[in-house]
Amino acid sequence: MLALAIALVKAKDGILLVDEIDTGLHYTVLEKMWTLVAQTAKELNVQVFATTHSYDCIKSLATVCTENGYENNEVTVQRIEPGHDTPVSYTASVINAAAELHVEVR
Protein backbone atom coordinates (compact mmCIF):
# COMPACT_ATOMS: atom_id res chain seq x y z
CA MET A 1 0.00 0.00 0.00
CA LEU A 2 2.88 2.35 0.80
CA ALA A 3 4.50 1.67 -2.58
CA LEU A 4 1.18 2.33 -4.29
CA ALA A 5 0.74 5.62 -2.41
CA ILE A 6 4.25 6.73 -3.34
CA ALA A 7 3.71 5.78 -6.98
CA LEU A 8 0.49 7.82 -7.07
CA VAL A 9 2.24 10.89 -5.67
CA LYS A 10 5.10 10.54 -8.17
CA ALA A 11 2.58 10.28 -11.02
CA LYS A 12 0.93 13.63 -10.22
CA ASP A 13 -0.70 15.11 -13.35
CA GLY A 14 0.15 11.96 -15.26
CA ILE A 15 -0.55 8.28 -15.70
CA LEU A 16 0.10 5.32 -13.39
CA LEU A 17 0.25 1.76 -14.72
CA VAL A 18 -0.12 -1.01 -12.12
CA ASP A 19 0.02 -4.69 -13.08
CA GLU A 20 -1.94 -7.00 -10.77
CA ILE A 21 -2.78 -4.20 -8.34
CA ASP A 22 -3.96 -6.60 -5.63
CA THR A 23 -0.83 -8.78 -5.53
CA GLY A 24 0.28 -9.38 -1.96
CA LEU A 25 -2.81 -7.81 -0.43
CA HIS A 26 -5.37 -9.70 1.63
CA TYR A 27 -8.91 -9.42 0.28
CA THR A 28 -9.99 -7.63 3.48
CA VAL A 29 -7.92 -4.53 2.62
CA LEU A 30 -8.91 -4.20 -1.04
CA GLU A 31 -11.63 -1.62 -0.34
CA LYS A 32 -9.08 0.52 1.52
CA MET A 33 -6.66 0.11 -1.38
CA TRP A 34 -9.26 1.24 -3.95
CA THR A 35 -10.29 4.16 -1.72
CA LEU A 36 -6.64 5.24 -1.52
CA VAL A 37 -6.22 4.92 -5.28
CA ALA A 38 -9.47 6.68 -6.21
CA GLN A 39 -9.17 9.59 -3.79
CA THR A 40 -5.47 10.19 -4.40
CA ALA A 41 -5.80 9.90 -8.17
CA LYS A 42 -8.64 12.42 -8.15
CA GLU A 43 -6.75 14.88 -5.92
CA LEU A 44 -3.50 14.60 -7.88
CA ASN A 45 -4.98 14.35 -11.38
CA VAL A 46 -3.62 10.86 -12.06
CA GLN A 47 -5.17 8.46 -14.54
CA VAL A 48 -4.69 4.93 -13.20
CA PHE A 49 -4.61 1.80 -15.34
CA ALA A 50 -4.60 -1.34 -13.19
CA THR A 51 -4.87 -5.02 -14.05
CA THR A 52 -6.26 -7.84 -11.94
CA HIS A 53 -7.49 -11.39 -12.22
CA SER A 54 -9.23 -11.22 -8.84
CA TYR A 55 -13.01 -11.19 -8.50
CA ASP A 56 -12.57 -9.89 -4.92
CA CYS A 57 -10.62 -6.93 -6.31
CA ILE A 58 -13.43 -6.04 -8.75
CA LYS A 59 -16.07 -6.54 -6.07
CA SER A 60 -14.16 -4.21 -3.74
CA LEU A 61 -13.93 -1.63 -6.51
CA ALA A 62 -17.72 -1.85 -6.94
CA THR A 63 -18.23 -1.24 -3.21
CA VAL A 64 -15.94 1.81 -3.26
CA CYS A 65 -17.76 3.19 -6.34
CA THR A 66 -21.12 2.79 -4.59
CA GLU A 67 -20.02 4.28 -1.27
CA ASN A 68 -18.30 7.28 -2.88
CA GLY A 69 -20.78 7.98 -5.65
CA TYR A 70 -18.28 7.92 -8.48
CA GLU A 71 -19.69 8.96 -11.82
CA ASN A 72 -19.77 6.51 -14.70
CA ASN A 73 -16.87 8.19 -16.47
CA GLU A 74 -14.63 8.37 -13.37
CA VAL A 75 -14.17 4.61 -12.92
CA THR A 76 -14.39 1.94 -15.61
CA VAL A 77 -13.37 -1.67 -16.07
CA GLN A 78 -12.16 -2.72 -19.50
CA ARG A 79 -12.43 -6.39 -20.42
CA ILE A 80 -10.29 -7.59 -23.30
CA GLU A 81 -11.97 -10.32 -25.30
CA PRO A 82 -9.91 -12.61 -27.55
CA GLY A 83 -10.60 -11.98 -31.21
CA HIS A 84 -12.13 -8.53 -30.69
CA ASP A 85 -10.54 -5.25 -31.72
CA THR A 86 -11.98 -3.18 -28.88
CA PRO A 87 -12.42 -3.94 -25.17
CA VAL A 88 -15.79 -4.27 -23.45
CA SER A 89 -16.23 -1.25 -21.17
CA TYR A 90 -18.05 -1.39 -17.84
CA THR A 91 -19.00 1.88 -16.12
CA ALA A 92 -19.21 2.33 -12.35
CA SER A 93 -22.94 1.57 -12.31
CA VAL A 94 -22.45 -1.58 -14.39
CA ILE A 95 -19.56 -2.68 -12.14
CA ASN A 96 -21.89 -2.31 -9.15
CA ALA A 97 -24.69 -4.27 -10.82
CA ALA A 98 -22.28 -7.00 -11.94
CA ALA A 99 -20.90 -7.38 -8.42
CA GLU A 100 -24.40 -7.64 -6.94
CA LEU A 101 -25.41 -10.26 -9.51
CA HIS A 102 -22.03 -12.08 -9.42
CA VAL A 103 -21.53 -11.48 -13.14
CA GLU A 104 -18.02 -12.12 -14.43
CA VAL A 105 -16.33 -8.91 -15.67
CA ARG A 106 -12.67 -9.91 -15.38
Side-chain angles (χ1 to χ4, degrees), residues 1-11:
M1 293 273 283
L2 178 60
L4 188 55
I6 291 169
L8 282 160
V9 171
K10 290 185 68 101

Side-chain angles (χ1 to χ4, degrees), residues 43-61:
E43 289 174 18
L44 299 178
N45 189 37
V46 178
Q47 186 172 13
V48 178
F49 293 88
T51 65
T52 187
H53 288 93
S54 166
Y55 176 76
D56 288 329
C57 193
I58 299 296
K59 187 176 176 184
S60 297
L61 175 61

